Amino acid sequence: MFDEGKEKQKGLYSVIKNDRLSDEIIWKSPIEDFNNNTQLIVMESEEALFVKDGVVVDTLQAGKHTLNTENYPFINKLQKVVSGGTSPYSAQIYFVDKAHKLEMLWGTDSPIQMRDAKYGFAVGVRARGSYSIQIADAKKFFVKLVGNTSVFTKEELQTLFRSAFQMKIKNTIATVMKESNLTILDMNTELERLSQIAEGNLADVLDEYGIRLINFYIADISIPEDDPNYAIINSSYANAYSKNIEAEVQGDNWKLFTAKEILKDTVNNPNAGGAAAMGAGIGVGAASAGVFNNLANQLFSPMGGQTQQTQNTNQTQQTTSRFAPKQVKQEEGNSKTIKCPTCGNEIPENSKFCSNCGTKIEELRCKKCGAKLDANAKFCPECGERRE
């Protein structure tokens, strides 16, 4: 097995690799002096930066690299003035983690002061969420943000961008809320759209430092419970929505019910001066009056029809009262009945179907001579053939 300590003692070459912790974005190797043919191991998700006198000389991507002037001419720039030492080359080597950094949390440090677009309430809202990044340009990131430090963590990165994030996020939420005319409590229905807008604004900020914003999420927008307007807003929203629900549930049914009760009271009240006077007296609106009139017509038209029919009948009886007995007798003479051949129920002679069992009443004829038979006949009146 390869022994790094023994190789260092031989003075031939050593191995330089990343021994950082998982949450560190940049880690500086403690080995600054190395021999020719030293092995540099860069992991798949890393990039190595060689820094000489504060300047990034070159970068190496993932893989195993043998450091010598033949493979990498930039090594000549790292040559060290020999003064009794054994290492001809000297440089600071930084390992930059380029893996996705997921679930980096953010939150507004103070409430976003805004006014409800619909009800005009002045209130402060808080927002929180998460984002993920990736170091896209290691050299730009190192030069602009890191500088002369041995370790740079994602917590430090969050701290650096907190102010920029706060400003961009607050501005995005306030702008969208104003332009869309959304109420404060409806903002959570627009989280996806807000996240997309904020992601576009923040991506430009991070790109300036060699960082790629993979995604950005707003998880929640809420009013702090200690806000003095919190209880007022909740109460106002509750009242507004309860009225909407009441109107939606009742609708025209409530109008019809009210008009029906008014008509009932009018009928039961002998002192009422008629539906028209009562309607005017109670001061119903134009819309309710329309419903009232329609309902009155529906309620009273059957009664009116019955009255008219009764009057016509009485008039007819008065006009033809002298001949009524003959008419009744004639009707009685025409009311001859027969028995249903299936159930025996008596039905009018000319019936096509039995009113009891529904059997179709067909015309009966004698099978021998073809004469028409009475429904109750047992023998043919023409030839005397017995009916089956």
Side-chain angles (χ1 to χ4, degrees):
M1 180 179 294
F2 180 80
D3 189 328
E4 180 180 350
K6 291 183 179 180
E7 294 300 331
K8 286 183 178 179
Q9 292 177 1
K10 293 180 181 178
L12 297 175
Y13 57 88
S14 62
V15 174
I16 303 175
K17 60 182 180 180
N18 188 357
D19 293 326
R20 66 175 178 81
L21 299 175
S22 59
D23 64 341
E24 294 173 350
I25 298 177
I26 285 185
W27 178 79
K28 176 185 175 184
S29 172
I31 301 175
E32 296 188 9
D33 297 331
F34 56 92
N35 297 321
N36 199 36
N37 294 324
T38 292
Q39 301 294 309
L40 175 67
I41 299 176
V42 182
M43 302 302 292
E44 186 70 26
S45 61
E46 295 176 341
E47 188 171 341
L49 303 180
F50 285 81
V51 179
K52 180 70 173 179
D53 298 329
V55 178
V56 179
V57 179
D58 211 335
T59 62
L60 294 181
Q61 304 298 321
K64 184 177 181 180
H65 307 272
T66 302
L67 303 179
N68 58 53
T69 56
E70 294 179 0
N71 296 332
Y72 304 101
F74 78 89
I75 297 293
N76 284 325
K77 300 179 182 179
L78 309 179
Q79 190 170 7
K80 183 178 181 180
V81 177
V82 180
S83 58
T86 59
S87 300
Y89 303 106
S90 178
Q92 296 174 330
I93 301 177
Y94 290 86
F95 291 91
V96 181
D97 186 3
K98 302 185 71 175
H100 289 189
K101 297 298 179 185
L102 305 177
E103 287 299 314
M104 299 180 68
L105 304 179
W106 65 269
T108 52
D109 54 358
S110 61
I112 308 170
Q113 298 300 323
M114 59 178 59
R115 188 174 295 277
D116 188 288
K118 185 174 182 180
Y119 298 106
F121 290 108
V123 69
V125 300
R126 292 186 181 274
R128 60 181 178 85
S130 64
Y131 62 99
S132 60
I133 63 166
Q134 180 188 26
I135 305 303
D137 189 328
K139 183 177 180 179
K140 181 190 290 187
F141 175 72
F142 176 83
V143 171
K144 288 199 170 187
L145 285 182
V146 181
N148 186 22
T149 183
S150 298
V151 174
F152 190 84
T153 65
K154 71 176 185 179
E155 286 74 17
E156 293 178 280
L157 179 65
Q158 288 176 288
T159 302
L160 286 175
F161 286 101
R162 180 171 295 143
S163 297
F165 273 43
Q166 297 284 332
M167 180 186 67
K168 293 288 184 179
I169 293 169
K170 289 180 179 180
N171 182 66
T172 298
I173 293 175
T175 301
V176 172
M177 184 173 178
K178 182 179 179 180
E179 293 177 351
S180 60
N181 200 35
L182 287 172
T183 63
I184 292 173
L185 296 185
D186 287 337
M187 290 296 290
N188 276 313
T189 64
E190 298 293 319
L191 293 183
E192 184 175 357
R193 185 161 71 98
L194 285 168
S195 298
Q196 293 174 352
I197 297 174
E199 181 176 334
N201 295 337
L202 294 169
D204 295 336
V205 175
L206 296 178
D207 183 67
E208 184 180 350
Y209 297 93
I211 304 171
R212 179 183 297 117
L213 183 63
I214 304 301
N215 49 50
F216 179 86
Y217 301 108
I218 299 176
D220 179 65
I221 298 176
S222 59
I223 306 172
E225 294 187 4
D226 58 354
D227 189 287
N229 286 329
Y230 180 77
I232 299 175
I233 291 174
N234 278 337
S235 176
S236 300
Y237 275 92
N239 291 335
Y241 280 110
S242 65
K243 291 179 181 178
N244 291 338
I245 293 173
E246 181 180 358
E248 182 178 351
V249 171
Q250 292 177 347
D252 291 337
N253 292 332
W254 179 84
K255 297 177 183 178
L256 292 173
F257 174 79
T258 303
K260 185 176 180 180
E261 292 300 311
I262 293 172
L263 288 174
K264 185 188 297 183
D265 293 340
T266 303
V267 172
N268 295 330
N269 184 6
N271 297 322
M278 180 273 297
I282 63 174
V284 293
S288 299
V291 176
F292 175 84
N293 292 333
N294 291 336
L295 184 59
N297 292 333
Q298 294 175 9
L299 292 177
F300 291 137
S301 59
M303 298 172 59
Q306 291 178 1
T307 303
Q308 183 67 29
Q309 184 178 0
T310 303
Q311 292 175 354
N312 292 339
T313 302
N314 293 336
Q315 184 178 0
T316 302
Q317 288 180 354
Q318 291 176 1
T319 305
T320 61
S321 59
R322 295 175 56 188
F323 304 95
K326 294 182 180 180
Q327 182 178 1
V328 172
K329 184 176 181 181
Q330 184 178 2
E331 290 176 356
E332 291 177 353
N334 293 336
S335 60
K336 188 176 181 180
T337 62
I338 61 174
K339 291 185 178 181
C340 173
T342 300
C343 66
N345 181 51
E346 290 190 359
I347 57 177
E349 182 182 20
N350 297 327
S351 299
K352 295 183 179 181
F353 296 91
C354 176
S355 61
N356 184 52
C357 65
T359 301
K360 184 176 182 181
I361 308 301
E362 299 181 352
E363 190 178 62
L364 301 177
R365 292 189 177 275
C366 177
K367 292 186 177 181
K368 185 175 181 180
C369 66
K372 183 177 180 180
L373 299 178
D374 187 77
N376 298 323
K378 296 182 178 180
F379 296 91
C380 176
E382 298 292 332
C383 65
E385 178 73 12
R386 185 178 179 85
R387 176 183 171 185
E388 296 181 357

